Amino acid sequence: MSKTDTTDTTGAADAPGDDALDATPAPGDEAAGADLSTAPREETIGGPTLGVVGWIRWFWRQLTSMRVALILLFLLSLGAVPGSLIPQSSADEMKVADFKKAHETLTPLYEKLQLFDVYSSVWFSAIYILLFVSLIGCIVPRTWQFVGQLRGLPPGAPKRLTRLPAYTTWRTEAAPEEVHEAALAVLKGRRFRARTAGDAVAAEKGYLREAGNLLFHLALIVMLVAFAWGQLFKSEGGKLVVEGDGFSNTLTQYDDFKSGSQFGVDELEPFNFTLDSFTGTYEKSGPQRGTPRTFEAAVTYTQGDGTDKKAVIRVNEPLKVGDSKIYLIAHGYAPVVTVRDGQGKIVYRGAVPLLPIDNNITSTGAIKVMDGYRDKNGDKEQLGFKAFFVPTFAGAGKGSMFSQFPALDFPVMALTGYHGNLRVDSGLPQNVYQLDTSKMTQFKVGGGTGVAQRLVPGETMPLPDGAGSIKFEKDIKEWASFQVSQQPGNGLALSGAVAAIAGLTGSLFIQRRRIWVRAVRGEDGTTVVEMAGLGRSESAKLPEELADLAVALTAQAPQAPEPAEAEAEASEGVEK
């Protein structure tokens, strides 16, 4: 069997393509060479003839074009940059206030541009809504066109198949009807939509390419809806809980809380939990010394029916209660201290959570005695202590006071005391882990030097002039910080992301193509078979696929000898 090359050999004057290149196209050529895409066709409208309706149509066509959708998507990504670099009021008002104090010149400009509230700003919302409308306006007409293509039939064969980019031909002794039946069977066996149209069989395949394209754009819409829904109805709060203490999911219990504009306080999931214990173990040697090996919080929680349940919360393994998820995000130590006045009366006793400042849990914080303390003259006064804690002290004279290891191997706490007014009643927000000493006087300890005094568990630091004492108790508790969040759009966003990846994969790797098989009776009585293929885009796989189909078809319609070969065989028979 001999077969022509599967590439176009008609000469440089005939560019590869469909029969739309013919000067006088035959009937059916336009359908055969029709665009295989369902993208809306843009019409050029002359500027001077546009009226109000014309301008509206022009604006709508521009908005729903893929070019504008990509521009809007880029602008949306660009607009999110300042939201990541500049403190946002919805996330942390304290950081916004600090930023405004430090940048007095930039603050008025940032406020006019709404850079402290990027995600709820007018300009960001406008980009978001325009992108949403653009995608919908793009996908709806393409969907209807795609449905129409699915309901339609493969177009008939062009007049001259030799002009298509992939082409092959041979002669066979089988009748044209037999070739058509065999071609239908072969093409349908390869999952082509095929039909007989005139003197040829027309087949088409690759509809999933456009389906994947539509799925990708639809998934983008789903993701936009999910993100908007999540921003409007989300809630997220943090709470630091010391061992033995509990938490109830009410707004007043949170250390910090933020929510979407459409979230109602009555939507908080009703539950409470108690931190029974925190367990943390660390690598003791090697290059990963100090790396956590066990990091988990054992809790007892109650939901709705009042039944106590036990659970263990680990990093990336949250506790799910209804629509809320409770994440373990941080850990530290809370030394227990006792403060007495000059008469020995206990004015404060409790565990004081301190915040870590390095990986070895070197921690700082403040101890505030706001009520119940009186000085030696009987006047009411407030006490404050700056605390610096290390779970593993290197030892006196062995470098600075920073922890050498995260575990409680050699705990030491340094305290600096103050007396006066803590300014907690000034009406201004105040960090519970920091001490405002602007209205306070430092106690002179350590022989009047004012240097902080180091204590080990069980030791007491006396305050000068009979002002009382503070004792570092032997009991050191641990605390865990939890994040309680409700994100209603997360599941929808994940589904949209998976669908977008699947759709993009289909649109990139599936090729829309058409195959035609023409079989006509030749002048010498044999059947001339022509096969040609046309793809939406150039691909080396189309000629390969056509060759494979041709091999399968020649098994049922074998190649007949060429006329010269037939005459030679006949002559040999006569001579014999």
Side-chain angles (χ1 to χ4, degrees):
M1 181 188 82
S2 64
K3 186 170 58 176
T4 65
D5 202 339
T6 56
T7 58
D8 183 15
T9 58
T10 57
D14 294 329
D18 52 44
D19 280 295
L21 299 175
D22 293 342
T24 56
D29 286 5
E30 293 183 0
D35 188 6
L36 297 179
S37 170
T38 58
R41 298 177 181 176
E42 296 186 1
E43 299 178 7
T44 304
I45 303 176
T49 63
L50 287 180
V52 175
V53 176
W55 278 110
I56 293 175
R57 287 180 177 176
W58 178 86
F59 177 78
W60 177 252
R61 289 192 181 100
Q62 297 303 312
L63 180 61
T64 56
S65 66
M66 187 55 58
R67 178 180 63 255
V68 173
L70 292 174
I71 292 174
L72 290 172
L73 189 61
F74 173 74
L75 290 177
L76 191 71
S77 304
L78 195 64
V81 173
S84 303
L85 301 178
I86 300 173
Q88 299 296 294
S89 299
S90 60
D92 195 330
E93 293 185 357
M94 296 290 292
K95 286 186 177 180
V96 173
D98 293 340
F99 184 92
K100 290 181 177 180
K101 289 179 181 179
H103 303 83
E104 296 181 356
T105 304
L106 290 175
T107 295
L109 177 62
Y110 282 10
E111 288 178 340
K112 288 182 180 179
L113 296 176
Q114 298 178 295
L115 295 183
F116 295 116
D117 299 281
V118 168
Y119 303 110
S120 59
S121 64
V122 174
W123 56 269
F124 191 86
S125 300
I127 297 173
Y128 198 93
I129 293 172
L130 285 174
L131 178 59
F132 191 81
V133 174
S134 177
L135 288 173
I136 292 178
C138 179
I139 198 173
V140 170
R142 294 184 70 165
T143 301
W144 285 116
Q145 291 180 24
F146 181 57
V147 171
Q149 289 185 359
L150 290 178
R151 296 177 62 183
L153 297 173
K159 181 180 179 181
R160 289 190 288 273
L161 295 178
T162 55
R163 302 192 63 183
L164 297 186
Y167 174 82
T168 186
T169 183
W170 71 93
R171 303 164 64 86
T172 182
E173 295 179 353
E177 295 77 10
E178 295 176 356
V179 175
H180 289 162
E181 291 180 4
L184 282 173
V186 170
L187 290 168
K188 289 182 178 180
R190 303 293 179 92
R191 297 191 298 277
F192 277 84
R193 293 178 61 195
R195 72 182 181 101
T196 301
D199 60 353
V201 172
E204 192 168 10
K205 189 177 182 181
Y207 290 93
L208 286 180
R209 178 188 179 93
E210 185 62 24
N213 197 9
L214 294 173
L215 177 62
F216 173 74
H217 291 86
L218 182 62
L220 289 182
I221 296 177
V222 171
M223 292 172 67
L224 288 175
V225 171
F227 291 148
W229 184 20
Q231 288 297 318
L232 291 173
F233 295 96
K234 75 173 183 178
S235 70
E236 187 175 277
K239 179 63 178 179
L240 186 149
V241 184
V242 179
E243 285 179 326
D245 293 346
F247 166 76
S248 181
N249 193 28
T250 58
L251 189 60
T252 57
Q253 288 276 300
Y254 283 98
D255 295 332
D256 59 84
F257 184 83
K258 57 183 179 181
S259 63
S261 59
Q262 299 301 314
F263 181 84
V265 178
D266 56 343
E267 297 178 37
L268 288 172
E269 194 76 30
F271 68 88
N272 59 76
F273 68 86
T274 300
L275 177 59
D276 299 327
S277 63
F278 180 88
T279 304
T281 60
Y282 308 90
E283 187 69 37
K284 292 185 175 296
S285 61
Q288 293 187 334
R289 185 176 185 272
T291 303
R293 292 306 179 202
T294 304
F295 204 81
E296 59 187 32
V299 299
T300 301
Y301 70 98
T302 305
Q303 178 191 14
D305 57 2
T307 304
D308 289 345
K309 301 177 183 178
K310 298 286 186 179
V312 176
I313 306 175
R314 300 179 179 88
V315 177
N316 298 326
E317 295 182 20
L319 170 63
K320 186 173 183 180
V321 182
D323 294 331
S324 298
K325 289 184 178 181
I326 307 170
Y327 294 88
L328 174 63
I329 59 175
H331 155 260
Y333 294 104
V336 178
V337 299
T338 302
V339 181
R340 300 176 184 269
D341 61 13
Q343 288 72 42
K345 177 185 175 182
I346 297 177
V347 294
Y348 179 89
R349 179 182 175 85
V352 182
L354 304 177
L355 297 182
I357 60 174
D358 62 19
N359 293 333
N360 287 327
I361 319 187
T362 301
S363 308
T364 63
I367 303 168
K368 301 180 182 181
V369 182
M370 293 178 284
D371 300 306
Y373 177 79
R374 293 179 181 271
D375 61 13
K376 61 182 179 180
N377 298 322
D379 297 330
K380 289 183 178 180
E381 200 173 29
Q382 294 177 328
L383 298 179
F385 299 87
K386 291 182 178 179
F388 194 90
F389 175 80
V390 292
T392 302
F393 184 46
K398 296 183 179 180
S400 58
M401 187 173 171
F402 280 89
S403 180
Q404 306 300 304
F405 193 71
L408 290 172
D409 292 344
F410 185 9
V412 172
M413 182 166 60
L415 295 172
T416 303
Y418 298 83
H419 63 99
N421 182 5
L422 290 169
R423 302 190 67 191
V424 293
D425 301 322
S426 63
L428 298 175
Q430 192 176 101
N431 193 325
V432 296
Y433 302 103
Q434 295 179 351
L435 199 63
D436 184 353
T437 60
S438 60
K439 298 293 183 180
M440 305 192 78
T441 304
Q442 183 178 347
F443 284 117
K444 301 299 182 180
V445 297
T449 62
V451 177
Q453 182 172 333
R454 288 197 298 261
L455 303 175
V456 297
E459 286 189 342
T460 300
M461 182 178 81
L463 303 178
D465 301 326
S469 64
I470 179 171
K471 182 180 180 180
F472 180 14
E473 302 290 349
K474 294 183 178 181
D475 185 17
I476 301 176
K477 295 186 177 182
E478 300 189 47
W479 60 260
S481 182
F482 299 93
Q483 177 180 291
V484 183
S485 64
Q486 287 184 234
Q487 298 285 350
N490 281 357
L492 189 61
L494 178 61
S495 301
V498 173
I501 294 174
L504 185 61
T505 301
S507 65
L508 290 177
F509 295 102
I510 297 176
Q511 186 185 20
R512 183 86 174 272
R513 64 270 195 200
R514 289 169 179 163
I515 300 292
W516 292 278
V517 180
R518 174 176 285 143
V520 294
R521 184 74 68 177
E523 295 179 357
D524 59 353
T526 59
T527 300
V528 178
V529 181
E530 291 181 291
M531 289 187 71
L534 176 65
R536 179 180 176 183
S537 58
E538 294 184 6
S539 173
K541 291 184 178 180
L542 180 61
E544 294 176 3
E545 185 176 30
L546 185 70
D548 187 38
L549 290 170
V551 170
L553 183 57
T554 53
Q556 302 182 47
Q559 182 180 16
E562 295 295 331
E565 296 178 3
E567 291 178 3
E569 291 178 359
S571 298
E572 292 178 2
V574 171
E575 292 177 357
K576 292 180 180 179

